Amino acid sequence: MIRSEQGWRDDMTTWTVDQGGAWWENGRLALIDQTRLPETFLVLYPDSLEEVADAIRQLKVRGAPAIGIAAAYGLVVALDEAAPSAAAEAWAVLEQAADTLRATRPTAVNLAWAVDRVLGRARATAPEDPAAIRGAVLAEATAIALEDRELCRRMGQFGVEALGEARRILTHCNAGALATGGFGTATAPLYALHAAGEPLWVLADETRPLLQGARLTAWELHRAGIPVHLIVDGASGVAMAKGLVEAVIVGADRIATNGDTANKVGTFNLALAAARHGIPFFVAAPHSTFDPNMATGSAIPIEERSSTEITDWRGHRLAPEGVGALNFAFDVTPHDLITAFITDRGVLRPPYTESIPAMLGAVTA
Ligand code: MRU
């Protein structure tokens, strides 16, 4: 693993917000180490399959589209590491790498979607030697990364339309640039409105236990000049009751064809609070986050992570010794609590059993 540490002043990095959290740079996969933000801006260049897989497991790269991009390029990293001498050997390396990458995190469907798409398209071009196979894999991974930037831009446009006059926006976790290959999903309309000179105010849930809202969303929005205040996760109800929230926008990790949506734990509670206050609740996600094989949310696998993420903070025990914790990393928001989906193909409204399959049927990528 090669590291490029720029410790840390904002003007010391050339990272731009449309660059996303993972990209290909001079023949290498580059990842922002999101566990180190906001204190340190560290770019990682993993040069083995295990390093890519570990970066995904440890949330150094995180967010559904970004882990899809990292996994897609991770297949190239696996080939470069193994240096196969024959085509059959190269395919075997890829199959094993695909299994390893798919198993790193279970909830975000973008991961398996990206891996399957790269392998499927690479096989379809019928390359005959390891160099040609690598070329085909890299070409498809690059297509996914570049497309994601465009999908974010389109979600921004459609999101502006969906938001209407709402300018006081609550968001959860980080569905921002760091989590994608571009401007983010939930943040894309925010960047678009800000660029248009619209006065915005964002409330960001801190997002226990790993503080993606406090560390990452606050970092990227503040850096872009968008006014942002943090609230603790449990404060969304009072913020809504005080009239501080005109709309909620969150991202998603997997969306069933009936609209049930898995996203960072706490999203379901937020949707309930929004419904109680009559506040529109939007989910912004590209087509790659919709799972055509999942009819309802009940079968979506919910990642459970180490209890120490809750009981400890960076090596310091917070909870009494001997007390356990249940660390569900995601929850499923029932479709009837979702006002609309902001996708790269347009704004989807209920009934989702009609609008989602219609949108997916139109997807050719
Ligand atoms: O555990 P994380 O930080 O990967 O969870 C991320 C989320 O829940 C995001 O909202 C989701 O992946 C969408 S990112 C555009």
Side-chain angles (χ1 to χ4, degrees), residues 185-209:
T185 62
T187 57
L190 308 181
Y191 288 120
L193 284 168
H194 182 65
E198 292 286 332
L200 271 182
W201 184 50
V202 178
L203 285 181
D205 274 356
E206 62 174 353
T207 317
R208 282 280 292 155

Side-chain angles (χ1 to χ4, degrees), residues 1-4 6 8 13-25 29-38 40-46 55-56 58-63 66-67 70 174 176-180 182 215-216 219-220 223:
M1 177 97 71
I2 302 166
R3 293 153 180 271
S4 135
Q6 302 180 342
W8 160 237
T13 176
T14 55
W15 183 77
T16 56
V17 73
D18 63 340
Q19 202 171 332
W23 61 91
W24 194 250
E25 180 184 311
L29 169 60
L31 310 170
I32 298 174
D33 185 346
Q34 300 188 37
T35 63
R36 300 286 300 272
L37 284 170
T40 302
F41 187 89
L42 177 65
V43 178
L44 304 175
Y45 301 97
I56 297 173
Q58 291 187 32
L59 276 54
K60 290 174 189 238
V61 59
R62 49 145 298 284
I67 59 179
N174 172 263
L178 291 165
T180 66
R215 296 186 302 103
L216 306 176
W219 176 74
E220 62 167 86
R223 190 172 183 271

